Structure formats: C-alpha cells, structure tokens
Amino acid sequence: MTSELLDQALIEEATKKSGLIWVRGAGAPAARALWHVWHEGAVCLVGDGPGEQPLPGLTDGGFAEVTVRSKDKGGRLVAWPATVSELAPGSPEWEAAVAELKGKRLNAPDGEEMPRRWGRECRVLRLVPAGSSAPLPSDDLAERPLPSPATTRQPIPAGLPRLLARRRKGK
C-alpha cells in the first residue's frame, strides 16, 4: 500500500513539474515529446489538428507508456503506463481540461478563438496512470525530429557573428 502511494506521488509530482513528457502510444514506432498539463489526476493533451502536436498511436480506450524527465537536468525520472481516453468536445471534462491547456499553449495563432478551434479540429486526450511506475527504458529514446514547418535547419546569416560581437563590445 505504501509503495503504491509513493509511486502515485512520484508520478504526479514529476509529471506536474515537467514541461515535456515522452509518450509512446500503442503501435507507435517511437515515443514523442509532448507538452501537457496535469489536471485532476491525469495528463491532458491536445493535438492532431492544424498547427498542433501530433498524437500518433493514442486512441480512445488504448494504452500508452509515459516517460517523465527532470525539469532541472533533463534526465528520466519515472515511466508509467496510462490508459487513454478522448474527451468529448463541450463536455464538462473537456471544458475543464481545455481551460488548463489554454494557459499552457505557447504562441497560439488564434488566442481566444483557440478553444473553439480545438473543439472543431483537434482531439483532447486524458492519460490516466494505470498502475505503478515501470522500469525506466534502457534505450536512449533519441529520435531524429520529424519534418515540420516550425523547424529551420539553415546556416546562420554571415553577418550575425560580427553583429553579436559589436553588441558585446558596446556594453
């Protein structure tokens, strides 16, 4: 009993404090780094819509493996199994989860319109811990980033080092 309570406390505290978690859905080839919120005993995620994070392998009624990192050092703290449920748009649970998620969503293109867009075009998922913590994965979980219009892999402009050096001399 005490071991289960300690596991639950570790899962909750680590997940609350981490800005990213790695989630591997059933059948997904690799874990994905996802932003989230901890709300009422579960992880809440939004995605699978235009401009939002993809949620591969996460299906309503399915299972997922969640790995949580340390916010300070970035190392793995705890891994835990989860059951996945999709929240119905407009339901009280959906409204509560979206209110929490909205505060954590960075760089949203549509501000106050965002919850309505999520209701039309995205999925809001709830990942509930299903049992005690699991052994940490032995592999490194490193994956090459997926292609995205949000990433740029271009050399820095030629004049940037001189500009930065000039700013440092001026201080």
Side-chain angles (χ1 to χ4, degrees):
M1 179 77 169
T2 304
S3 174
E4 292 174 17
L5 290 176
L6 289 174
D7 270 352
Q8 289 174 355
L10 175 61
I11 288 168
E12 182 172 344
E13 280 304 308
T15 308
K16 275 183 186 178
K17 291 182 180 185
S18 183
L20 287 175
I21 55 175
W22 278 265
V23 180
R24 183 188 317 250
R32 299 234 10 162
L34 302 173
W35 69 273
H36 70 286
V37 295
W38 182 268
H39 179 65
E40 295 181 358
V43 162
C44 294
L45 303 166
V46 65
D48 280 351
E52 300 297 341
Q53 61 192 351
L55 304 172
L58 298 177
T59 57
D60 190 26
F63 292 94
E65 178 185 307
V66 179
T67 304
V68 182
R69 71 182 180 113
S70 162
K71 189 171 183 172
D72 297 337
K73 304 288 183 190
R76 287 175 250 168
L77 287 177
V78 65
W80 47 276
T83 57
V84 180
S85 61
E86 186 168 346
L87 303 177
S91 69
E93 297 85 12
W94 186 89
E95 294 288 342
V98 165
E100 293 293 320
L101 287 161
K102 182 181 172 192
K104 296 285 185 173
R105 175 64 164 91
L106 300 177
N107 303 323
D110 50 0
E112 293 301 314
E113 187 65 28
M114 184 172 45
R116 286 186 281 284
R117 178 175 56 86
W118 285 349
R120 288 188 317 267
E121 302 171 358
C122 298
R123 296 188 310 141
V124 176
L125 303 179
R126 195 165 191 267
L127 278 58
V128 180
S132 59
S133 62
L136 291 174
S138 59
D139 55 338
D140 65 4
L141 301 179
E143 295 286 333
R144 183 165 197 79
L146 296 175
S148 166
T151 60
T152 57
R153 296 273 180 196
Q154 300 173 356
I156 63 170
L160 186 60
R162 286 191 308 269
L163 178 66
L164 293 175
R166 217 178 321 144
R167 282 189 180 171
R168 278 189 224 130
K169 286 180 185 177
K171 287 186 178 182

